[in-house]
Amino acid sequence: MKKKVLLFSALALAFSSMAQSETPESTDLVIIGAGGAGMSAAIEAHNQGVKVILLEKMPFARGNTARAEGGLNAAGTPYQKAKGIEDNPELFFKDTMKGGRNINNHELVRILSEQAKYSIEFLKINGAELADVSREGGASVDRIHRPVGGEPAGSFIATALIKKVKALNIDLRTRTSATEIIKNDKGEVTGIKAKGKEGNVYTIDAKKVMITAGGFGANFDMIKHYDPKLVGFKTTNAPGSLGEGVKMAESINAKLVDVEYIQIHPTTVPGKGILITEGVRGDGAILVNEEGKRFINELLTRDVVSQNILKQPNAHAYMIFNDALVKQNKTIDTYFKQKLVFEGDSVEALATAIGMDPKQLSATLAAYTGYAKAKKDTEFGRESFKQALDTGKYYAIEVTPGIHHTMGGIAINTKAQVIDNQGKVVPNLFAAGGVHGAHRLVGNSLADIVTFGRIGADEAVKEIKAGK
Ligand SMILES: Cc1cc2nc3c(=O)[nH]c(=O)nc-3n(C[C@H](O)[C@H](O)[C@H](O)COP(=O)(O)OP(=O)(O)OC[C@H]3O[C@@H](n4cnc5c(N)ncnc54)[C@H](O)[C@@H]3O)c2cc1C
């Protein structure tokens, strides 16, 4: 009996797949991947009156976006002005180019630096106001925007966007993977193939397709292929970050850029790949090695800090902070919940809890407090001091570098149109991202995905309305 039921279900599934593949659906815009870029694009396009299908292969829309802890960079926002922070797109541009070792696409960075403030506005309108501003690695001024109270920015943004996607009744299909981009014989993209919840494969004819399927930071084969030095490193990325969008684009002759640049994040928990946000250092934490000595300006870029941690004994370090900092940064609560934090009522007690020399750690903290109060770090040149670290209770988290961000991806132009290997636009195909060059500054990815997600959607809508 059981066998008959199984056979019947298999046949029903096969027929339903055939039926679906024989009569393709059609829509205006298919968006592949419901992270921050995909959801921003979907909301923008829907609000401009076009029919959108948003595909997400995982059971929930979220992606790496929901893992972001620090925040989103933007220059010239009302929140900066209210705090008296002098910033402008030119400075943002220069910091981003310097961070990316000047190999970034200048035109895209120019757009990012000018338009990220509108992404802050877009997020506010859509329920994710990032009204607090702080300083993080590689930025000349306080520029990273996050929710008031230090709540992790990514889940705050993702939750708001999911709510909006649902409220707008956008056709979000979870557990549905895009498997192929379809082109006609003129080289124009005409739709995609998707694999649905039941394993059924079907075609969606679409006037425009946008790829927002994220990076490949959890695909260890691709990591090994592009940077064999990283074999054996853990990753901070969501399990869905397998580079499927990049591979689908590559298979239709789209150009890839900067894929060989894979960022390791300096502060992930050894063996676990859990990321300790830069926000903790930005809010005043320091790094010491296992001997209790500082070894770097903690706010230098990720690549520099990572390389310096790897040079310390046993290639690890401890992030040290205190109660005053914990009160400012809600993200730290999640580290306590995950039991990642050592603690002590005094510096000496903390050192003992970690197995470090108490005298050395006390000397290091005393010196740092002096620098913080004088606002001059004569040892390592740190310039931002949000805490003097002169009162307890004291805390530490052990950290080591881990795989964090795949800088490169699908090449786009300033309209977020995909470019092919001959430098021509691939008709009807859009993607978000690609501004980071050799190295991404913290806060620039959320800025990138929301900004280019919106730009790609906007351009796709323009073309649809113009009948192109
Ligand atoms: C731990 C962590 C902390 C971070 N902190 C920050 C930060 O503070 N500031 C910052 O700017 N950036 C940060 N980043 C980076 C940033 O979060 C990501 O780069 C960014 O959110 C990626 O957005 P996305 O929309 O491009 O991709 P994602 O958010 O990853 O979304 C892509 C989606 O596509 C789906 N998908 C993949 N393949 C398919 C397919 N074939 N069919 C259908 N769906 C598919 C995936 O499941 C996923 O949901 C952090 C990243 C991590 C991992």
Side-chain angles (χ1 to χ4, degrees):
M1 179 63 189
K2 207 172 174 190
K3 261 190 189 165
K4 268 190 189 164
V5 171
L6 279 176
L7 184 65
F8 179 75
S9 320
L11 284 172
L13 190 62
F15 282 129
S16 87
S17 313
M18 276 167 59
Q20 294 212 43
S21 59
E22 277 166 12
T23 50
E25 281 186 79
S26 51
T27 191
D28 290 325
L29 173 63
V30 167
I31 301 175
I32 304 171
M39 289 194 283
S40 300
I43 293 166
E44 182 72 37
H46 172 93
N47 284 343
Q48 293 194 41
V50 305
K51 196 176 158 207
V52 176
I53 297 176
L54 174 58
L55 304 181
E56 171 53 52
K57 69 174 181 175
M58 303 300 275
F60 303 101
R62 290 180 85 77
N64 265 344
T65 301
R67 295 194 170 209
E69 294 177 353
L72 182 155
N73 287 336
T77 65
Y79 306 112
Q80 287 178 309
K81 279 186 196 125
K83 284 187 147 195
I85 300 159
E86 297 274 335
D87 195 11
N88 57 63
E90 187 57 32
L91 194 55
F92 186 8
F93 175 83
K94 283 188 181 146
D95 286 345
T96 301
M97 293 302 301
K98 186 176 167 201
R101 296 189 215 122
N102 274 304
I103 68 156
N104 325 42
N105 178 321
H106 285 227
E107 287 181 307
L108 296 183
V109 177
R110 193 59 78 191
I111 289 185
L112 176 84
S113 37
E114 282 162 5
Q115 300 238 352
K117 63 179 177 222
Y118 303 118
S119 295
I120 291 276
E121 207 174 299
F122 170 89
L123 289 172
K124 182 183 173 201
I125 292 167
N126 288 297
E129 183 173 20
L130 304 175
D132 189 22
V133 193
S134 184
R135 174 81 61 96
E136 297 214 5
S140 322
V141 295
D142 288 8
R143 181 180 293 140
I144 196 158
H145 292 67
R146 58 191 190 181
V148 171
E151 189 179 330
S155 61
F156 182 77
I157 292 173
T159 303
L161 294 181
I162 292 167
K163 208 167 150 194
K164 195 62 167 198
V165 163
K166 287 190 179 154
L168 294 173
N169 276 323
I170 292 172
D171 185 354
L172 165 64
R173 300 182 188 181
T174 53
R175 292 198 174 94
T176 303
S177 292
T179 55
E180 190 185 327
I181 311 259
I182 304 169
K183 262 180 159 183
N184 63 17
D185 48 16
K186 289 188 230 153
E188 298 160 337
V189 168
T190 58
I192 58 132
K193 278 203 189 301
K195 193 170 177 194
K197 281 186 180 141
E198 326 288 331
N200 50 316
V201 176
Y202 60 100
T203 301
I204 306 177
D205 288 341
K207 292 176 185 155
K208 309 287 160 191
V209 172
M210 185 158 185
I211 306 176
T212 53
F216 57 91
N219 183 329
F220 293 104
D221 290 335
M222 283 177 87
I223 299 271
K224 184 176 169 188
H225 175 73
Y226 288 117
D227 190 350
K229 289 195 302 302
L230 299 181
V231 169
F233 276 66
K234 298 274 181 202
T235 185
T236 63
N237 279 214
S241 304
L242 297 178
E244 288 162 29
V246 174
K247 286 197 270 187
M248 273 186 277
E250 191 180 20
S251 71
I252 57 154
N253 194 34
K255 184 178 170 188
L256 303 185
V257 282
D258 301 333
V259 266
E260 65 277 32
Y261 295 104
I262 298 169
Q263 181 173 80
I264 52 175
H265 192 289
T267 57
T268 70
V269 178
K272 296 199 164 111
I274 298 171
L275 181 130
I276 307 301
T277 177
E278 242 133 348
V280 185
R281 277 176 287 144
D283 283 345
I286 60 168
L287 289 172
V288 299
N289 64 18
E290 63 181 30
E291 292 163 353
K293 296 178 184 158
R294 274 180 83 214
F295 50 90
I296 192 163
N297 167 0
E298 292 82 358
L299 297 182
L300 292 182
T301 49
R302 291 174 168 177
D303 48 350
V304 180
V305 178
S306 294
Q307 291 314 327
N308 278 276
I309 293 177
L310 291 173
K311 284 182 199 154
Q312 301 310 307
N314 292 314
H316 70 153
Y318 291 88
M319 194 181 275
I320 309 285
F321 49 98
N322 67 351
D323 253 339
L325 195 154
V326 170
K327 287 197 183 90
Q328 278 192 7
N329 192 313
K330 265 198 185 165
T331 305
I332 297 175
D333 292 348
T334 62
Y335 309 143
F336 280 105
K337 281 187 196 136
Q338 293 171 90
K339 302 199 183 324
L340 304 175
V341 187
F342 295 91
E343 47 189 90
D345 288 330
S346 62
V347 178
E348 291 77 8
L350 177 68
T352 308
I354 314 171
M356 199 178 268
D357 175 7
K359 273 195 192 144
Q360 179 58 58
L361 188 61
S362 299
T364 300
L365 262 288
Y368 183 77
T369 297
Y371 305 146
K373 288 191 170 161
K375 301 226 172 302
K376 193 169 173 57
D377 174 4
T378 48
E379 243 179 314
F380 299 105
R382 181 168 172 152
E383 289 173 352
S384 167
F385 307 93
K386 301 257 153 103
Q387 298 293 337
L389 299 180
D390 55 347
T391 54
K393 190 172 178 177
Y394 288 94
Y395 304 96
I397 300 178
E398 186 187 3
V399 290
T400 192
I403 294 165
H404 184 50
H405 192 78
T406 49
M407 249 72 66
I410 305 162
I412 57 166
N413 64 14
T414 53
K415 294 177 176 174
Q417 293 168 306
V418 172
I419 304 299
D420 71 14
N421 281 314
Q422 284 69 47
K424 291 194 192 124
V425 166
V426 180
N428 305 331
L429 187 61
F430 297 81
V435 300
H436 309 299
H439 180 77
R440 168 176 78 87
L441 296 186
V442 57
N444 269 3
S445 183
L446 290 176
D448 176 26
I449 58 154
V450 180
T451 303
F452 285 98
R454 287 171 34 237
I455 289 174
D458 196 48
E459 189 56 33
V461 172
K462 269 190 205 143
E463 290 187 9
I464 291 166
K465 290 192 172 166
K468 283 192 197 162

Coordinates of all heavy atoms in Angstrom, one line a residue, residues 315-369:
A315 N 48.8 32.7 16.8 CA 47.9 33.3 15.8 C 46.5 33.6 16.3 O 45.5 33.5 15.6 CB 47.8 32.4 14.6
H316 N 46.5 34.1 17.5 CA 45.2 34.5 18.1 C 45.4 35.7 19.0 O 46.5 36.2 19.2 CB 44.5 33.4 18.9 CG 45.2 33.0 20.2 ND1 44.5 32.5 21.2 CD2 46.5 33.1 20.6 CE1 45.3 32.3 22.2 NE2 46.5 32.7 21.9
A317 N 44.3 36.3 19.4 CA 44.4 37.5 20.3 C 43.1 37.5 21.2 O 42.2 36.7 21.1 CB 44.5 38.8 19.5
Y318 N 43.1 38.5 22.1 CA 41.9 38.7 22.9 C 41.4 40.1 22.8 O 42.3 41.1 22.8 CB 42.3 38.4 24.4 CG 42.6 36.9 24.7 CD1 43.9 36.4 24.5 CD2 41.5 36.1 25.0 CE1 44.1 35.1 24.7 CE2 41.8 34.7 25.2 CZ 43.1 34.2 25.0 OH 43.3 32.9 25.2
M319 N 40.1 40.3 22.7 CA 39.5 41.6 22.6 C 39.1 41.9 24.0 O 38.5 41.1 24.7 CB 38.3 41.5 21.7 CG 37.8 42.8 21.3 SD 36.3 42.6 20.3 CE 37.0 42.3 18.8
I320 N 39.6 43.1 24.5 CA 39.4 43.4 25.9 C 38.5 44.6 26.0 O 38.7 45.6 25.3 CB 40.7 43.8 26.6 CG1 41.8 42.7 26.4 CG2 40.5 44.1 28.1 CD1 41.6 41.4 27.2
F321 N 37.4 44.5 26.9 CA 36.5 45.7 27.0 C 36.0 45.7 28.4 O 36.3 44.8 29.3 CB 35.4 45.7 26.0 CG 34.7 44.3 25.8 CD1 33.5 44.1 26.5 CD2 35.3 43.3 25.1 CE1 32.8 42.9 26.3 CE2 34.6 42.1 24.9 CZ 33.4 41.9 25.5
N322 N 35.1 46.6 28.7 CA 34.6 46.7 30.1 C 33.1 47.0 30.1 O 32.4 47.1 29.1 CB 35.4 47.8 30.9 CG 35.1 49.2 30.4 OD1 34.5 49.4 29.3 ND2 35.5 50.2 31.1
D323 N 32.6 47.1 31.4 CA 31.1 47.3 31.5 C 30.6 48.5 30.8 O 29.5 48.5 30.3 CB 30.8 47.4 33.0 CG 30.1 46.1 33.6 OD1 29.6 45.4 32.7 OD2 30.2 45.9 34.8
A324 N 31.3 49.6 30.9 CA 30.9 50.8 30.3 C 30.6 50.6 28.8 O 29.6 51.1 28.2 CB 31.9 51.9 30.5
L325 N 31.4 49.8 28.2 CA 31.3 49.5 26.7 C 30.1 48.6 26.5 O 29.3 48.8 25.5 CB 32.6 48.9 26.2 CG 32.7 48.9 24.7 CD1 34.2 48.9 24.3 CD2 32.1 47.7 24.0
V326 N 30.0 47.6 27.4 CA 28.8 46.6 27.2 C 27.5 47.4 27.2 O 26.6 47.1 26.4 CB 28.9 45.6 28.3 CG1 27.6 44.7 28.3 CG2 30.1 44.7 28.2
K327 N 27.4 48.4 28.0 CA 26.1 49.2 28.1 C 25.8 49.9 26.8 O 24.7 50.2 26.5 CB 26.2 50.2 29.3 CG 26.2 49.5 30.6 CD 25.9 50.5 31.8 CE 25.9 49.8 33.1 NZ 27.2 49.8 33.8
Q328 N 26.9 50.2 26.0 CA 26.6 50.9 24.8 C 26.4 50.1 23.6 O 26.0 50.5 22.6 CB 27.9 51.7 24.5 CG 28.1 52.9 25.2 CD 29.2 53.8 24.6 OE1 29.8 53.4 23.6 NE2 29.5 54.8 25.2
N329 N 26.7 48.8 23.7 CA 26.7 48.0 22.5 C 25.9 46.7 22.7 O 26.4 45.7 23.3 CB 28.1 47.6 22.1 CG 28.2 47.0 20.7 OD1 27.5 46.1 20.4 ND2 29.1 47.5 19.9
K330 N 24.6 46.7 22.2 CA 23.7 45.6 22.5 C 24.2 44.3 21.9 O 23.8 43.2 22.3 CB 22.3 46.0 21.9 CG 21.4 46.6 22.9 CD 20.0 46.4 22.4 CE 19.0 47.1 23.3 NZ 17.7 47.3 22.6
T331 N 25.0 44.4 20.8 CA 25.4 43.2 20.1 C 26.1 42.3 21.1 O 26.1 41.1 20.9 CB 26.3 43.6 18.9 OG1 25.6 44.5 18.1 CG2 26.7 42.3 18.1
I332 N 26.8 42.9 22.0 CA 27.7 42.1 22.9 C 26.8 41.1 23.7 O 27.2 40.0 24.1 CB 28.5 43.0 23.9 CG1 29.5 43.8 23.0 CG2 29.3 42.2 24.9 CD1 30.3 44.8 23.8
D333 N 25.5 41.5 24.0 CA 24.6 40.5 24.7 C 24.6 39.2 24.0 O 24.5 38.1 24.7 CB 23.2 41.1 24.6 CG 23.0 42.3 25.5 OD1 23.9 42.6 26.2 OD2 21.9 43.0 25.4
T334 N 24.6 39.2 22.6 CA 24.6 37.9 21.9 C 25.8 37.1 22.2 O 25.8 35.9 22.2 CB 24.4 38.1 20.4 OG1 25.5 38.8 19.9 CG2 23.1 38.9 20.1
Y335 N 27.0 37.7 22.4 CA 28.2 37.0 22.7 C 28.1 36.4 24.1 O 28.6 35.3 24.3 CB 29.4 37.9 22.6 CG 29.5 38.6 21.3 CD1 30.0 39.9 21.2 CD2 29.1 38.1 20.1 CE1 30.0 40.6 20.0 CE2 29.1 38.8 18.9 CZ 29.6 40.1 18.9 OH 29.6 40.8 17.7
F336 N 27.5 37.1 25.1 CA 27.3 36.5 26.4 C 26.4 35.3 26.3 O 26.7 34.2 26.9 CB 26.7 37.5 27.3 CG 27.7 38.5 27.9 CD1 27.7 39.8 27.4 CD2 28.6 38.2 28.9 CE1 28.6 40.7 28.0 CE2 29.5 39.1 29.4 CZ 29.5 40.4 28.9
K337 N 25.3 35.4 25.5 CA 24.4 34.3 25.4 C 25.1 33.1 24.8 O 24.7 32.0 25.1 CB 23.2 34.7 24.5 CG 22.2 35.6 25.3 CD 20.9 35.8 24.4 CE 20.2 37.0 25.1 NZ 19.7 37.9 24.1
Q338 N 26.0 33.3 23.9 CA 26.7 32.2 23.3 C 27.9 31.7 24.1 O 28.7 30.9 23.6 CB 27.2 32.6 21.9 CG 26.0 32.9 20.9 CD 26.5 33.5 19.6 OE1 26.9 32.8 18.6 NE2 26.6 34.8 19.5
K339 N 28.1 32.3 25.3 CA 29.1 31.9 26.2 C 30.5 32.1 25.6 O 31.4 31.2 25.7 CB 28.9 30.5 26.7 CG 27.6 30.3 27.4 CD 27.6 29.0 28.3 CE 26.3 28.7 28.9 NZ 25.4 29.7 29.4
L340 N 30.7 33.2 25.0 CA 32.0 33.4 24.3 C 32.9 34.4 25.2 O 34.1 34.6 24.8 CB 31.8 34.1 23.0 CG 30.9 33.3 22.0 CD1 30.7 34.2 20.7 CD2 31.6 32.0 21.6
V341 N 32.4 34.9 26.3 CA 33.0 36.0 27.0 C 33.7 35.5 28.3 O 33.0 34.8 29.1 CB 32.0 37.1 27.3 CG1 32.7 38.3 27.9 CG2 31.2 37.5 26.1
F342 N 35.0 35.8 28.5 CA 35.6 35.6 29.8 C 35.4 36.9 30.6 O 35.3 38.0 30.0 CB 37.2 35.5 29.6 CG 37.6 34.3 28.9 CD1 37.8 34.3 27.5 CD2 37.9 33.1 29.6 CE1 38.2 33.2 26.8 CE2 38.4 32.0 28.8 CZ 38.5 32.0 27.5
E343 N 35.3 36.8 31.9 CA 35.1 38.0 32.7 C 35.9 38.0 34.0 O 36.3 36.9 34.5 CB 33.6 38.2 33.0 CG 32.8 37.0 33.4 CD 31.3 37.3 33.4 OE1 30.7 37.1 32.4 OE2 30.8 37.8 34.5
G344 N 36.1 39.2 34.6 CA 36.7 39.4 35.9 C 36.4 40.7 36.5 O 36.2 41.7 35.7
D345 N 36.3 40.7 37.8 CA 35.9 42.0 38.5 C 37.0 43.0 38.4 O 36.8 44.2 38.4 CB 35.6 41.7 40.0 CG 34.3 41.0 40.1 OD1 33.4 41.2 39.2 OD2 34.1 40.2 41.0
S346 N 38.2 42.6 38.2 CA 39.4 43.5 38.0 C 40.2 43.0 36.8 O 39.9 41.9 36.3 CB 40.3 43.4 39.2 OG 40.8 42.1 39.3
V347 N 41.1 43.8 36.4 CA 41.9 43.5 35.2 C 42.7 42.2 35.6 O 42.8 41.2 34.7 CB 43.0 44.6 34.9 CG1 43.9 44.2 33.7 CG2 42.2 45.9 34.6
E348 N 43.2 42.1 36.8 CA 44.0 40.9 37.2 C 43.1 39.7 37.2 O 43.6 38.6 36.7 CB 44.6 41.1 38.6 CG 45.7 42.2 38.8 CD 45.1 43.6 38.8 OE1 43.9 43.8 38.8 OE2 45.9 44.6 38.7
A349 N 41.9 39.8 37.7 CA 41.0 38.6 37.7 C 40.7 38.2 36.3 O 40.6 37.0 36.0 CB 39.7 39.0 38.4
L350 N 40.5 39.1 35.4 CA 40.3 38.8 34.0 C 41.5 38.0 33.4 O 41.3 37.0 32.8 CB 40.0 40.0 33.1 CG 39.8 39.7 31.7 CD1 38.5 38.9 31.4 CD2 39.7 41.0 30.8
A351 N 42.7 38.6 33.7 CA 43.9 37.9 33.2 C 44.0 36.5 33.7 O 44.3 35.6 32.9 CB 45.1 38.7 33.6
T352 N 43.7 36.3 34.9 CA 43.8 35.0 35.5 C 42.7 34.0 34.8 O 43.0 32.9 34.5 CB 43.5 35.0 37.0 OG1 44.4 36.0 37.6 CG2 43.7 33.7 37.7
A353 N 41.5 34.6 34.6 CA 40.5 33.8 33.9 C 41.0 33.3 32.5 O 40.6 32.2 32.1 CB 39.2 34.5 33.8
I354 N 41.7 34.1 31.8 CA 42.2 33.8 30.5 C 43.5 32.9 30.5 O 43.8 32.3 29.6 CB 42.5 35.0 29.6 CG1 41.4 36.1 29.7 CG2 42.7 34.6 28.2 CD1 41.9 37.4 29.0
G355 N 44.2 33.0 31.7 CA 45.5 32.3 31.7 C 46.6 33.2 31.2 O 47.6 32.8 30.6
M356 N 46.5 34.5 31.5 CA 47.4 35.5 31.0 C 48.2 36.1 32.2 O 47.7 36.0 33.3 CB 46.6 36.6 30.3 CG 47.3 37.5 29.4 SD 46.0 38.7 28.7 CE 45.5 37.9 27.3
D357 N 49.3 36.7 31.9 CA 50.1 37.4 33.0 C 49.3 38.6 33.5 O 49.2 39.6 32.8 CB 51.5 37.7 32.5 CG 52.3 38.5 33.5 OD1 51.8 38.6 34.7 OD2 53.4 39.0 33.2
P358 N 48.8 38.6 34.8 CA 48.0 39.7 35.3 C 48.8 41.0 35.3 O 48.2 42.1 35.0 CB 47.6 39.3 36.7 CG 47.8 37.9 36.8 CD 48.9 37.5 35.8
K359 N 50.1 41.0 35.6 CA 50.9 42.2 35.7 C 51.0 42.9 34.3 O 50.9 44.1 34.2 CB 52.3 41.9 36.2 CG 52.4 41.9 37.7 CD 53.9 41.9 38.1 CE 54.0 41.6 39.5 NZ 55.2 40.9 39.9
Q360 N 51.2 42.0 33.3 CA 51.4 42.6 32.0 C 50.0 43.2 31.5 O 50.0 44.3 30.9 CB 51.8 41.5 31.0 CG 52.0 41.9 29.6 CD 52.9 43.1 29.4 OE1 54.1 43.0 29.8 NE2 52.5 44.2 28.9
L361 N 48.9 42.5 31.7 CA 47.6 43.0 31.2 C 47.3 44.3 32.0 O 46.8 45.3 31.3 CB 46.5 42.0 31.4 CG 45.2 42.4 30.8 CD1 45.3 42.6 29.3 CD2 44.1 41.4 31.0
S362 N 47.6 44.4 33.3 CA 47.4 45.6 34.0 C 48.2 46.8 33.4 O 47.7 47.9 33.3 CB 47.7 45.5 35.5 OG 47.0 44.5 36.1
A363 N 49.5 46.5 33.1 CA 50.4 47.5 32.6 C 49.8 48.0 31.2 O 49.8 49.2 30.9 CB 51.8 47.0 32.4
T364 N 49.4 47.0 30.4 CA 48.8 47.4 29.1 C 47.6 48.3 29.2 O 47.5 49.3 28.5 CB 48.5 46.1 28.3 OG1 49.6 45.3 28.2 CG2 47.9 46.4 26.9
L365 N 46.7 47.9 30.1 CA 45.5 48.7 30.3 C 45.8 50.1 30.9 O 45.2 51.1 30.4 CB 44.5 48.0 31.3 CG 43.4 47.1 30.7 CD1 42.3 48.0 30.1 CD2 43.8 46.1 29.6
A366 N 46.7 50.1 31.8 CA 47.1 51.4 32.4 C 47.7 52.3 31.3 O 47.3 53.5 31.2 CB 48.1 51.2 33.5
A367 N 48.5 51.8 30.5 CA 49.1 52.6 29.4 C 48.0 53.1 28.4 O 47.9 54.3 28.1 CB 50.1 51.8 28.6
Y368 N 47.1 52.2 28.1 CA 46.0 52.5 27.2 C 45.1 53.6 27.7 O 44.7 54.6 27.0 CB 45.2 51.3 26.8 CG 44.1 51.7 25.7 CD1 44.5 51.9 24.4 CD2 42.8 51.9 26.1 CE1 43.6 52.3 23.5 CE2 41.9 52.4 25.2 CZ 42.3 52.5 23.8 OH 41.4 52.9 22.9
T369 N 44.8 53.5 29.0 CA 43.9 54.5 29.7 C 44.6 55.9 29.6 O 43.9 56.9 29.3 CB 43.7 54.2 31.2 OG1 43.0 52.9 31.2 CG2 42.9 55.2 31.9

